[in-house]
Amino acid sequence: MSEQRTITAFYEQDHDRLDELFKTFQQLKRSDFPKADEAFKEFKFGLQRHIVWEEDVLFPLWEKETGMSEGGATSVMRAEHRQIGQHLEAIQRKVTEQNPDSDQEEQALLNLLGSHNMKEERVLYPGIDRVTSAGERETVFQNMKNISEERYKLACGQH
Ligand SMILES: [Fe+2]
């Protein structure tokens, strides 16, 4: 069963889970702020974790397998991650002030995430599945588990 696990399926599922959390935040921020706040926290932590998984584990593997790093797909993805981080922090500032007027910041994040995730789901993840064996993918999942929570929390601010 675990031999069938693909990068594409796992990472797509995590994208979907994050999309749902963000939707919950947007839907509740004016009616139930504590719940919206909680959803945003989980979203932000989860997205940072997702980015760290990609940058520390997936992208290096792709770069090694394809010999592409500088100027390749992963360098574009890394640059977009920095922008995603900035949008996340902008929303975080409003959430900290308990200010629900973050529609513009949210839209900016959603616009970028939409195209970013699509590129990953259509090109990068299937590409990684193609160039790796089931055993190598299990190593990927194991390496993801070995990353510390502290690393996730720092993820977007440190680059
Ligand atoms: Fe990404």
Side-chain angles (χ1 to χ4, degrees), residues 15 50-51 54 59 77 81 116-117 120 125:
H15 279 165
H50 188 101
I51 287 172
E54 291 179 345
F59 294 179
M77 295 297 113
H81 286 167
H116 178 84
N117 290 353
E120 291 181 338
Y125 302 154

Side-chain angles (χ1 to χ4, degrees), residues 47-101:
L47 183 52
Q48 291 180 191
R49 182 173 67 174
H50 188 101
I51 287 172
V52 170
W53 283 340
E54 291 179 345
E55 295 198 353
D56 287 12
V57 182
L58 270 197
F59 294 179
L61 179 66
W62 172 254
E63 288 157 4
K64 193 180 94 200
E65 296 285 342
T66 62
M68 280 193 297
S69 51
E70 289 298 304
T74 51
S75 78
V76 176
M77 295 297 113
R78 287 181 202 273
E80 289 184 0
H81 286 167
R82 302 289 78 76
Q83 288 176 270
I84 289 169
Q86 285 163 10
H87 292 311
L88 264 181
E89 295 306 323
I91 301 167
Q92 173 71 73
R93 281 193 288 276
K94 294 271 172 89
V95 173
T96 305
E97 296 163 359
Q98 306 204 9
N99 177 359
D101 295 327

